[in-house]
Amino acid sequence: MTATKLGGPVAPVRPAPAGDPGGGLAGRTVKIVLLGLTVAIAVWAAFPLIENEMWTGLAILLATTAGLLYLYLTPRHIPLKYLAPGTVLLLLFQVFPVLYTASTAFTNFGDGHRGSKQEAVVAIQTASVTQVPGSRQYALTVATTGDPASGPLVFLVTDPVTRQVSAGDADGLAAVPPGDVTVGSTGRVTAADGYTVLTAGQASLRSAEITALAVPTAAGAIRSSGLSRAYEGRAGRAYDEGCDCIRDTATGRTWTADENVGAFVGADGDRLAQGWKVGVGFGNFTRVLTDSAIAGPFFRTLVWNVAFAVASTGGTFVLGLLLAMALHSPRVRGRLTYRVLLVLPYAMPSFAMLLVWRDMFNTDFGLINGLFGSDVDWFGGSASARLAVILVQLWLGYPYMFLVATGALQAIPRELSEASRIDGASAWGGFRRITLPLLMVALTPLLISSFAFNFNNFNAIYLTTEGAPFPADNPANGATDLLITYTYRIAFGGGGAQYGYAAAISIFIFLIVAVVSAVSFRRTRHLEEVHS
Amino acid sequence: MTRWIQQVGWRHLVGVLVLAFALVPIVFVVSAAFNPLGTLSSSELVPTGASFGNFTRLFSDTAFGRWFLNSAIIASVSSIASVFISALAAYAFSRRRFRGRRVGLLSVLLIQMFPQFLAIVAIFLIFSAVTDLWPAIGFNTSWGLILLYLGGALGVNTWLMKGFFDTLPRELDESATVDGATHAQVFFRILLPLVAPILAVTALLAFIGTINEFLIANVFLTDAGSKTLPVGLYGLVAGERNANFGMFCAGTLLTAIPTVLVFQLLQRYITDGLTAGAVKG
């Protein structure tokens, strides 16, 4: 089958030279090998999908492979041949995660709202299991299906009367065939096929997980009592289908299911912590705009965020271009040495240097105060903290601009500036009228990307000031916070993960950056025409 | 003399001033790395002593060698692959006119503006499934991380390269086509060698970007043996900041070595006049 597919390009049917995809024997061989590899990878990837009966995944895999084979065997669709490799990867690892994230913006997905309602009910019932007089006792053996230190835990419980061994995890209990296990005199399992029995030492290291594990059963759940005994307790809270509510068997209190918020709500508005995932429409979006505790800081942060992105991008660009211009002359001696030393900041790992800069700005034993003999609490005041983070960005970012500006300058034919000089233009005039416009053709898209990158430059803030200083009345929103760090703190920090809400804010951020970029993009159309 | 200052002198002035700004933090890191005490509070700009204690501790107390190797492999493979992928795309965007060209360009620009790390929950869920199906490209593997990084290959690099393809005269490929060259020959034999300087620059940028990537790698690599340099080094100062500062700086310096090497390697491509020759045909 493979042979017929690969046989395609060997006998080209089209005489038109522009349509011949191969071009030389070497090119054709490389192409055959690459297509063969594609088929091989597809076959390798197909087996696990078939085993797990994931037919949708298999269909996508087959369609993609067939599409790629067609694309590279037909003489048509030339642009697509060049775009396909990047596009496939882009779709898989960037577009898909982004769309997935965006879709959670319309849900309450987060801590306490992860699974389905059914799972929430099971979790509530299992968590409320307590030992009551007459609870059935089991001999317990803690085992795992994986690595003793980190593999998923399994309870092997032995019925004291029948000596039947069952294996249970958070999904439920299943009997183990007697032939597969060796049961000791105490009723504890000493060995079992497919499981690794944890030693006392290994088990005690994971005692918190063992205490937390509850195996749901029809009557309630099996929980551990120490490391060698387990009991089947009764659920203190049970789901009642008639009223669609959770009832506490001891007190008789009820919590009714509310499908709008995805939680069981009591008469007094009290919610059970374990809820389920529901769609909330535009709820997350309106919360950003209407919740006064969020909207005010949001717009204040937005203004600083834009200022930070503009200052970082503009500052690094001006400094980088100035340097590139200064060194773009054969008359400067030691240009190579300059260049090597000047890009050193870029060679240093940025995340580590951000942490180093943070320590250099330290008030008491920081290098900056030490060098200048000053005593400034850099991250204590809004203005100095903002100045500090922009200075750090300047240090980190100018070598990049220097490199690309140097590259762009070298790509501009020297004849152009020489010609303008002969025509009587001044050095500055030549730069402004000839060099700069040409540079901008290549660099404008980069500036837009740099702006977008700095707009969301999480590390620049998170690894230095962490948003500080914070106003006394609002510990959630600091003076140097960018929208992204602010979002991160609200959504992931402190009160538990709220992915749905975080996704909604990130869509706002995305829209802001996208609009700014789209407007700038219109200008590049204009620039592109300068050259062509 | 005034003429010299006007034409050359100011260039040196700018160079020296920026050089001072550039080197102060690096000198600080160097002296902290060789500081025999190895703590933050005892580190100064001018070294107070010289010892390799921080370096030997780094190799004996941590899996630094392993992290180094992982980072070097991941960064090299993904930067080379991503430069190739984006060069292909840049050629199509620059030289070919097709339906959806502008939309494609705009989408490439827009998609990378989504705050990537917020998609990390989605990436985690996706790769949990991938780890179950294909452990060879799942969590704690270099291949999985490389694939994930290649998802962003079409981002900024495509734009950068398209800009440079645009500055190459179209007459070059037109005359080659007239002479009977196929589109593949035009791309590989004529255009690619001409954009070598910018390929070198993008490869360097991609290498640096990857070797510094922390957020995704931190979620992706949890096994001590599979960690990359940033993940491992961050772990050093996450808890014991003051005491491990010397080791951290030593690791920072060693992390910079591959980048400097790659730069030196590519330096000869980033020299003057490569395309000036091409314009003459």
Side-chain angles (χ1 to χ4, degrees):
Chain A
M1 182 177 148
T2 316
T4 51
K5 271 176 188 159
L6 293 175
V10 180
V13 277
R14 295 209 163 205
D20 178 17
L25 186 65
R28 213 166 283 174
T29 319
V30 169
K31 184 169 163 176
I32 291 172
V33 169
L34 284 180
L35 286 181
L37 262 179
T38 310
V39 175
I41 291 174
V43 170
W44 169 78
F47 279 109
L49 287 173
I50 297 169
E51 259 171 49
N52 290 282
E53 304 187 348
M54 301 174 80
W55 305 124
T56 325
L58 189 67
I60 294 173
L61 180 73
L62 286 179
T64 314
T65 316
L68 284 176
L69 286 177
Y70 166 75
L71 177 62
Y72 288 102
L73 293 178
T74 171
R76 299 171 57 215
H77 305 299
I78 292 169
L80 209 53
K81 288 186 210 287
Y82 288 87
L83 291 172
T87 311
V88 169
L89 287 164
L90 183 77
L91 287 176
L92 277 179
F93 296 114
Q94 223 156 0
V95 175
F96 181 58
V98 163
L99 288 182
Y100 188 95
T101 309
S103 72
T104 61
F106 300 92
T107 70
N108 61 355
F109 185 46
D111 279 354
H113 297 277
R114 285 178 186 273
S116 67
K117 186 176 175 184
Q118 192 54 43
E119 286 165 356
V121 167
V122 171
I124 290 170
Q125 289 180 347
T126 331
S128 69
V129 165
T130 45
Q131 193 164 9
V132 290
S135 284
R136 191 189 295 196
Q137 303 284 335
Y138 296 94
L140 169 70
T141 314
V142 183
T144 176
T145 51
D147 179 63
S150 58
L153 287 176
V154 176
F155 281 175
L156 296 175
V157 290
T158 316
D159 189 295
V161 185
T162 63
R163 293 181 80 77
Q164 163 68 42
V165 178
S166 306
D169 55 20
D171 294 331
L173 197 64
V176 178
D180 290 355
V181 289
T182 320
V183 183
S185 58
T186 57
R188 295 191 68 201
V189 176
T190 52
D193 281 1
Y195 299 102
T196 311
V197 174
L198 266 61
T199 64
Q202 287 166 341
S204 67
L205 283 177
R206 302 180 70 178
S207 60
E209 285 170 78
I210 292 170
T211 314
L213 181 60
V215 179
T217 59
I222 295 176
R223 305 194 71 143
S224 65
S225 157
L227 296 176
S228 58
R229 310 224 40 91
Y231 62 87
E232 181 172 11
R234 256 220 318 271
R237 287 172 180 171
Y239 178 66
D240 185 340
E241 222 162 302
C243 62
D244 192 16
C245 65
I246 296 279
R247 178 172 282 121
D248 193 308
T249 45
T251 62
R253 215 178 141 197
T254 60
W255 289 267
T256 316
D258 186 337
E259 293 291 349
N260 290 324
V261 296
F264 290 103
V265 186
D268 53 0
D270 164 47
R271 284 187 197 182
L272 291 181
Q274 193 65 48
W276 62 96
K277 188 174 146 186
V278 291
V280 293
F282 285 92
N284 289 324
F285 294 91
T286 50
R287 190 172 149 204
V288 178
L289 299 175
T290 54
D291 189 333
S292 62
I294 294 170
F298 183 86
F299 289 110
R300 202 179 56 213
T301 307
L302 177 62
V303 172
W304 153 243
N305 201 153
V306 172
F308 172 80
V310 169
S312 301
T313 309
T316 52
F317 176 63
V318 170
L319 187 61
L321 182 60
L322 179 72
L323 265 183
M325 295 295 300
L327 299 180
H328 185 65
S329 158
R331 294 184 58 188
V332 179
R333 266 188 233 160
R335 267 186 307 159
L336 205 65
T337 321
Y338 269 125
R339 259 181 216 158
V340 169
L341 289 177
L342 282 170
V343 295
L344 271 186
Y346 202 61
M348 302 297 284
S350 63
F351 84 97
M353 289 315 285
L354 282 167
L355 293 169
V356 169
W357 270 99
R358 180 176 80 167
D359 294 328
M360 286 172 45
F361 277 114
N362 190 296
T363 316
D364 303 317
F365 47 87
L367 185 70
I368 310 250
N369 278 347
L371 274 184
F372 295 104
S374 53
D375 188 28
V376 183
D377 181 8
W378 288 96
F379 295 163
S382 304
S384 61
R386 287 174 173 176
L387 190 72
V389 292
I390 290 178
L391 192 74
V392 175
Q393 272 325 103
L394 190 64
W395 188 85
L396 283 174
Y398 87 82
Y400 171 76
M401 292 294 182
F402 170 62
L403 276 180
V404 292
T406 303
L409 277 177
Q410 288 169 354
I412 295 173
R414 237 173 242 283
E415 290 81 355
L416 285 178
S417 48
E418 276 162 18
S420 80
R421 195 67 63 84
I422 290 166
D423 288 350
S426 67
W428 170 247
F431 168 73
R432 207 167 54 88
R433 300 242 168 77
I434 312 280
T435 317
L436 196 59
L438 280 174
L439 273 181
M440 292 315 269
V441 176
L443 296 186
T444 304
L446 261 176
L447 290 179
I448 301 173
S449 309
S450 169
F451 174 85
F453 171 78
N454 278 311
F455 197 88
N456 289 325
N457 198 334
F458 182 78
N459 285 359
I461 303 301
Y462 195 75
L463 296 180
T464 55
T465 63
E466 291 183 64
F470 293 94
D473 59 331
N474 190 353
N477 177 246
T480 55
D481 254 331
L482 301 181
L483 285 176
I484 196 101
T485 52
Y486 171 55
T487 311
Y488 184 82
R489 191 172 307 112
I490 284 192
F492 295 97
Q498 304 178 59
Y499 303 126
Y501 179 52
I505 299 194
S506 57
I507 286 179
F508 273 111
I509 299 175
F510 174 67
L511 287 179
I512 294 166
V513 186
V515 166
V516 172
S517 312
V519 171
S520 336
F521 186 81
R522 298 202 77 82
R523 278 186 53 83
T524 68
R525 182 202 298 245
H526 177 77
L527 284 167
E528 203 175 0
E529 281 155 11
V530 170
H531 200 76
S532 55
Chain B
M1 189 62 200
T2 350
R3 210 179 133 77
W4 184 85
I5 289 175
Q6 251 183 18
Q7 292 193 345
V8 185
W10 71 274
R11 298 172 188 272
H12 283 292
L13 184 71
V14 171
V16 169
L17 281 179
V18 182
L19 213 53
F21 174 56
L23 292 185
V24 164
I26 296 177
V27 172
F28 176 63
V29 171
V30 172
S31 71
F34 289 101
N35 178 5
L37 291 178
T39 60
L40 170 60
S41 43
S42 67
S43 296
E44 308 253 347
L45 185 60
V46 183
T48 45
S51 114
F52 282 95
N54 291 320
F55 291 89
T56 48
R57 269 173 68 209
L58 192 63
F59 280 97
S60 60
D61 299 0
T62 68
F64 188 80
R66 192 66 201 270
W67 302 340
F68 200 92
L69 194 69
N70 289 338
S71 271
I73 292 172
I74 291 175
S76 320
V77 174
S78 67
S79 60
I80 291 171
S82 91
V83 165
F84 182 65
I85 287 172
S86 41
L88 287 174
Y91 167 73
F93 281 129
S94 170
R95 285 304 200 260
R96 298 274 158 182
R97 291 294 175 269
F98 51 96
R99 226 162 10 117
R101 177 176 163 271
R102 289 203 78 81
V103 176
L105 268 173
L106 196 58
S107 324
V108 163
L109 193 66
L110 284 187
I111 191 75
Q112 58 168 342
M113 279 166 200
F114 192 85
Q116 190 68 51
F117 85 92
L118 282 172
I120 212 153
V121 178
I123 290 175
F124 183 83
L125 294 175
I126 292 169
F127 269 90
S128 301
V130 168
T131 310
D132 287 343
L133 289 171
W134 305 285
I137 55 165
F139 287 125
N140 290 319
T141 64
S142 299
W143 288 114
L145 197 59
I146 289 171
L147 277 177
L148 194 52
Y149 287 154
L150 285 184
L154 270 194
V156 57
N157 290 343
T158 306
W159 273 86
L160 182 62
M161 273 194 254
K162 177 194 165 285
F164 282 87
F165 273 114
D166 284 347
T167 61
L168 292 179
R170 226 165 231 286
E171 289 76 12
L172 281 177
D173 28 328
E174 274 164 13
S175 59
T177 311
V178 170
D179 288 349
T182 65
H183 61 86
Q185 282 169 332
V186 168
F187 175 72
F188 285 105
R189 301 261 171 84
I190 297 175
L191 293 177
L192 220 47
L194 286 178
V195 292
I198 202 59
L199 287 185
V201 171
T202 16
L204 181 68
L205 297 180
F207 186 87
I208 290 170
T210 321
I211 210 162
N212 277 319
E213 205 284 325
F214 169 67
L215 210 67
I216 292 178
N218 194 33
V219 174
F220 208 87
L221 308 170
T222 48
D223 268 3
S226 69
K227 283 182 182 176
T228 57
L229 285 168
V231 181
L233 282 181
Y234 186 78
L236 271 187
V237 288
E240 273 297 315
R241 179 147 191 71
N242 189 30
N244 286 342
F245 190 73
M247 256 160 84
F248 177 77
C249 283
T252 304
L253 280 184
L254 293 177
T255 307
I257 289 179
T259 319
V260 174
L261 282 182
V262 170
F263 184 76
Q264 292 303 329
L265 199 70
L266 299 179
Q267 171 84 24
R268 68 194 178 98
Y269 295 103
I270 316 174
T271 43
D272 309 42
L274 264 169
T275 41
V279 174
K280 286 169 194 150

